[in-house]
Amino acid sequence: MTDLPTASSDTWNTPATLIELVRRVMRGIDVDPATNAGAQAVIRAATFYTLETDGLAHDWHGRVFLNPPYSDPAPFVMRLLGEYDADNTTEAIALVNARTGSAWFQALAVRAWRCELRARVRFWRPDRLEGSVGRLSSVVFYLGPNARRFVNVFGSEGVTSPPASRNAPTCSICSGPIVSSRADAAYCSGACRQKAFRSRKKPGPPFAA
């Protein structure tokens, strides 16, 4: 969620129902870099930055929830990708408009799993607590090691898809989504890799006296 001084219409607070899904995926929110104090009654991030404290001036450590200023989301989206590459951000969910032709949207699409929300989000403002539906459809992007959990949680909200730069690889053990920088990755986790290793081990020949 964001709040700009020149456009009150750029304040679109994320509803509690959606934040609950975010928490189910990441198990908490460490940083909300584009928000206002009122929105934190719902988001409850450990650290948050407003227009006055400028989230772009700080590092984003841990689990990040980003609902960037819709008038200019690019700086926040590109910063999120940079923080993730720098290993400051360990996991992130971004809620953005479905502006598929934008460079910042494409940058997310080739890196992150996503859910194209079936219903338009009912954002709220201090002067409209009941919420109002946005003019555009929304997409939720996920970066991090728990892609399978993201798919399980958000799958009921819309169509989920893997990063656009590759086909959807699945684990050969549990069929869950694989998130790895290796093109030949066959398993979604160390646990599944160990299961595969154990299944390949065969008993040796019987002892001969």
Side-chain angles (χ1 to χ4, degrees), residues 65-151:
F65 171 69
L66 174 65
N67 181 355
Y70 288 163
S71 63
D72 189 19
F76 284 88
V77 168
M78 301 314 292
R79 179 60 179 273
L80 176 63
L81 293 174
E83 290 290 294
Y84 187 70
D85 288 340
D87 293 329
N88 289 333
T89 295
T90 57
E91 196 172 10
I93 286 180
L95 172 65
V96 297
N97 278 339
R99 295 192 177 276
T100 57
S102 300
W104 60 263
F105 189 98
Q106 293 293 314
L108 274 174
V110 300
R111 298 284 306 278
W113 284 76
R114 67 184 182 272
C115 175
E116 299 169 15
L117 296 178
R118 184 179 302 107
R120 293 191 180 182
V121 177
R122 183 170 292 278
F123 298 96
W124 64 276
R125 304 180 192 175
D127 61 341
R128 188 176 295 180
L129 296 178
E130 72 278 10
S132 59
V133 177
R135 293 183 294 274
L136 297 174
S137 297
S138 298
V139 178
V140 176
F141 282 100
Y142 174 78
L143 290 165
N146 295 308
R148 179 167 58 178
R149 189 186 299 160
F150 172 75
V151 171

Side-chain angles (χ1 to χ4, degrees), residues 26 28-32 44-48 61-65 90:
M26 300 197 297
I29 299 171
D30 296 313
V31 181
D32 181 353
R44 306 192 309 278
T47 300
F48 67 90
H61 290 280
R63 300 160 296 182
V64 173
F65 171 69
T90 57

Side-chain angles (χ1 to χ4, degrees), residues 171-174 186-202:
C171 178
S172 60
I173 296 298
C174 70
Y187 312 111
C188 68
S189 65
C192 282
R193 189 179 299 108
Q194 285 297 319
K195 288 180 181 179
F197 176 76
R198 289 195 296 268
S199 69
R200 289 197 299 267
K201 293 179 66 176
K202 298 179 180 180

